[in-house]
């Protein structure tokens, strides 16, 4: 907990150094111009931190909100990567998250034709955050068959990142049927060895935490397990329990019983060191070579 608090405070201070005179945030520190997506993304973190009780630098939030609203009102739909509807939708989402929604700009984007599913998802979330869930559901009714794989280069998108954003929207609207399907897919990707960008990881973890808070029974873990002939009860208030099991035989029997109303996920991980002389050579996307002149 101390490490988390120290890291968050350091990040808040670090991000505030990127704020430029107009209230936006630059992509590189020292750059005088604001980056649209970076401003929303960094501001998103700052607002979430503030909601958890962390103190933002004086003037940061008010200047950031002023910039976001000015950009929202100046926005016009065109084909520019820097100025597309998805960018505008995320901007409006962050304003709703900061309890300073721009309804006029939200309604204008809602009436804009031919915007992407990703933009509609973010816009629906923006409405849901301020309690207008009926409008959010109407927006989602206009979704096309476009899948989550569409990527926006300047928005650092990926299929999993887009699914995480969608999961957050369905969680806000309490659409359990669509939410659980996405949650399972995102959880599998987080648990795999697939490479994930920092933004994909961040949105995935955020969406999964929101989903868990809404759908868990908030009573922790209550379960029992039997390994071979040894049994143990687990009753804790936390959402994660890990234990090293050392008494492993050649053949083992493991049974577990969930005694709570929430969903319980179980993972068994094996590790060991092979004897000298029978080591295995493993190569994973890494090659080395010696170059001589």
């Amino acid at each position: 907990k101390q490490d988390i608090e120290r890291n968050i405070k350091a990040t808040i201070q670090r991000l505030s150094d990127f704020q430029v005179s107009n209230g936006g945030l630059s992509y590189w520190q020292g750059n005088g111009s604001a980056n649209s997506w970076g401003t929303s993304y960094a501001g998103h973190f700052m607002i979430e931190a503030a909601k958890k009780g962390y103190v933002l630098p004086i003037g940061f939030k008010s200047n950031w909100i002023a910039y976001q609203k000015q950009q929202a009102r100046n926005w016009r739909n065109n084909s520019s990567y820097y100025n597309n509807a998805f960018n505008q939708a995320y901007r409006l989402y962050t304003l709703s998250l900061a309890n300073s929604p721009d309804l006029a700009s939200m309604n204008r984007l809602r009436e804009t034709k031919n915007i992407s599913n990703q933009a509609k998802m973010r816009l629906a979330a923006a409405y849901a955050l301020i309690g207008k869930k009926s409008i959010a559901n109407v927006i989602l009714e206009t979704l096309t068959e476009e899948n989550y794989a569409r990527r926006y280069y300047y928005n650092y998108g990926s299929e999993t990142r887009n699914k995480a954003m969608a999961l957050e929207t369905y969680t806000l609207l309490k659409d359990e049927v669509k939410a659980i399907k996405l949650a399972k897919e995102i959880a599998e990707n987080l648990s795999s060895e697939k490479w994930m960008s920092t933004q994909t990881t961040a949105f995935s973890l955020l969406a999964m935490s929101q989903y868990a808070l809404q759908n868990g029974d908030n009573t922790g873990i209550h379960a029992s397990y039997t390994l071979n002939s040894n049994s143990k009860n687990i009753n804790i208030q936390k959402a994660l329990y890990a234990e090293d099991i050392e008494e492993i035989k050649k053949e083992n029997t493991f049974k577990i019983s969930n005694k709570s109303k929430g969903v319980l996920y179980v993972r068994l991980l094996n590790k060991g060191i092979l004897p000298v002389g029978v080591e295995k050579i493993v190569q994973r996307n890494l090659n080395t070579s010696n170059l001589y002149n």
Side-chain angles (χ1 to χ4, degrees):
K1 290 183 178 180
Q2 291 177 343
D3 287 342
I4 291 171
E5 183 174 353
R6 183 176 62 252
N7 288 333
I8 292 176
K9 287 181 177 178
T11 303
I12 289 172
Q13 183 57 51
R14 175 72 168 163
L15 288 178
S16 67
D17 293 338
F18 285 73
Q19 192 169 41
V20 296
S21 59
N22 62 7
L25 279 78
S26 61
Y27 189 83
W28 301 105
Q29 188 173 2
N31 192 320
S33 60
N35 177 274
S36 294
W37 187 267
T39 296
S40 295
Y41 184 59
H44 187 176
F45 170 84
M46 297 289 252
I47 297 303
E48 291 284 8
K51 288 179 178 292
K52 295 295 183 181
Y54 289 91
V55 179
L56 303 184
I58 297 175
F60 178 90
K61 182 178 178 181
S62 59
N63 292 333
W64 174 82
I65 288 176
Y67 173 83
Q68 291 289 78
K69 287 196 170 183
Q70 185 64 45
Q71 292 297 306
R73 291 163 187 168
N74 291 342
W75 178 83
R76 297 294 183 272
N77 191 29
N78 58 47
S79 59
S80 169
Y81 283 116
Y82 290 101
N83 200 31
N84 59 37
F86 190 17
N87 207 333
Q88 173 76 338
Y90 187 27
R91 181 184 295 119
L92 295 171
Y93 164 90
T94 62
L95 286 170
S96 291
L97 188 68
N99 297 319
S100 187
D102 187 338
L103 279 171
S105 296
M106 291 166 66
N107 291 334
R108 183 157 57 92
L109 181 60
R110 179 188 171 193
E111 295 172 359
T112 302
K113 304 296 184 182
N114 300 320
I115 64 175
S116 67
N117 280 356
Q118 285 77 23
K120 292 177 181 178
M121 283 285 185
R122 279 286 90 177
L123 182 59
Y127 277 105
L129 283 172
I130 59 175
K132 297 184 178 296
K133 295 184 179 180
S134 59
I135 296 178
N137 283 315
V138 170
I139 292 173
L140 295 184
E141 290 175 0
T142 67
L143 293 178
T144 65
E145 294 299 322
E146 175 190 356
N147 59 34
Y148 294 100
R150 183 175 181 182
R151 302 180 63 175
Y152 293 92
Y153 178 77
Y154 289 108
N155 293 341
Y156 317 101
S158 69
E159 183 174 355
T160 302
R161 198 284 304 272
N162 295 340
K163 287 181 177 179
M165 284 186 162
L167 173 59
E168 182 180 4
T169 301
Y170 289 129
T171 299
L172 285 169
L173 295 174
K174 296 185 178 181
D175 189 333
E176 297 181 3
V177 175
K178 293 180 180 177
I180 192 170
K181 180 178 183 295
L182 288 170
K184 288 181 177 179
E185 293 174 357
I186 294 168
E188 288 176 359
N189 287 332
L190 283 169
S191 301
S192 72
E193 296 183 356
K194 295 179 181 178
W195 180 86
M196 299 174 73
S197 70
T198 53
Q199 186 161 152
T200 296
T201 305
F203 273 106
S204 296
L205 291 173
L206 179 62
M208 289 299 296
S209 66
Q210 293 169 340
Y211 176 79
L213 286 172
Q214 180 171 289
N215 293 281
D217 61 5
N218 298 320
T219 60
I221 297 176
H222 303 282
S224 63
Y225 74 82
T226 301
L227 176 63
N228 298 326
S229 59
N230 298 320
S231 300
K232 184 174 182 178
N233 292 316
I234 304 170
N235 292 288
I236 61 173
Q237 297 302 312
K238 296 182 179 181
L240 177 67
Y241 176 81
E243 181 179 353
D244 290 333
I245 302 175
E246 297 180 353
E247 297 182 4
I248 301 297
K249 301 177 182 180
K250 186 175 181 180
E251 294 184 359
N252 302 274
T253 301
F254 182 82
K255 296 181 180 179
I256 189 164
S257 175
N258 182 17
K259 298 181 179 179
S260 65
K261 295 180 180 179
V263 178
L264 180 65
Y265 293 94
V266 182
R267 297 181 69 193
L268 290 174
L269 306 177
N270 295 327
K271 63 180 179 180
I273 300 175
L274 292 171
V276 176
V278 294
E279 300 94 337
K280 294 182 178 179
I281 299 176
V282 178
Q283 177 180 306
R284 293 182 179 176
N285 301 320
L286 179 65
N287 292 305
T288 61
S289 60
N290 294 321
L291 301 178
Y292 297 93
N293 293 327

